[in-house]
Amino acid sequence: MKTYQSSAICPKCGELLRTNNAKSYNFYCHNCNGRFRSNSIKDSDDEYFRISIPATADEYEVHNEQLLEITEKYHCDFLGYDDGCGLIDIGWEKAYPDYTTMHAFLAEVNQVFS
């Protein structure tokens, strides 16, 4: 499964976390090698707890309907495309979902872009 940059801040070292493939953890820190579940993430570098997916504007347009369905299913508060940096941002306002839900969410996102 692909991993994505998040806005989650590492509770150990303060660096930004990436999503993680391990079934028991949602996030991985490349700086301190920490692995974390959603419930241990309290801070975000953004107003949303966001996942950023690299994509072109055309990819976003082609997959927008599928992404809208996923964001609705997983109760996301935000879906948008930043053409300045080529990222699809999906986020939650208050916190990331629990690790089981997060892995299901990431599996569906990966399926869209496979």
Side-chain angles (χ1 to χ4, degrees), residues 17-102:
L17 301 174
R18 289 189 68 82
T19 60
N20 189 28
N21 292 330
K23 294 276 184 199
S24 301
Y25 300 96
N26 301 102
F27 298 98
Y28 177 75
C29 181
H30 287 280
N31 187 55
C32 70
N33 296 321
R35 289 179 170 79
F36 306 96
R37 288 186 176 178
S38 296
N39 63 355
S40 65
I41 305 302
K42 305 297 182 208
D43 295 314
S44 172
D45 80 337
D46 191 34
E47 64 184 283
Y48 290 99
F49 289 81
R50 167 183 44 76
I51 302 296
S52 297
I53 303 159
T56 64
D58 289 340
E59 287 174 313
Y60 177 65
E61 188 175 318
V62 166
H63 298 300
N64 188 35
E65 191 171 314
Q66 291 171 291
L67 292 171
L68 283 169
E69 290 173 11
I70 292 170
T71 58
E72 187 174 311
K73 179 178 179 179
Y74 292 97
H75 309 289
C76 300
D77 298 306
F78 179 79
L79 169 66
Y81 182 73
D82 184 341
D83 57 357
C85 57
L87 293 172
I88 297 169
D89 290 325
I90 301 174
W92 297 265
E93 192 172 331
K94 298 186 186 218
Y96 289 104
D98 65 67
Y99 77 94
T100 306
T101 303
M102 186 70 157

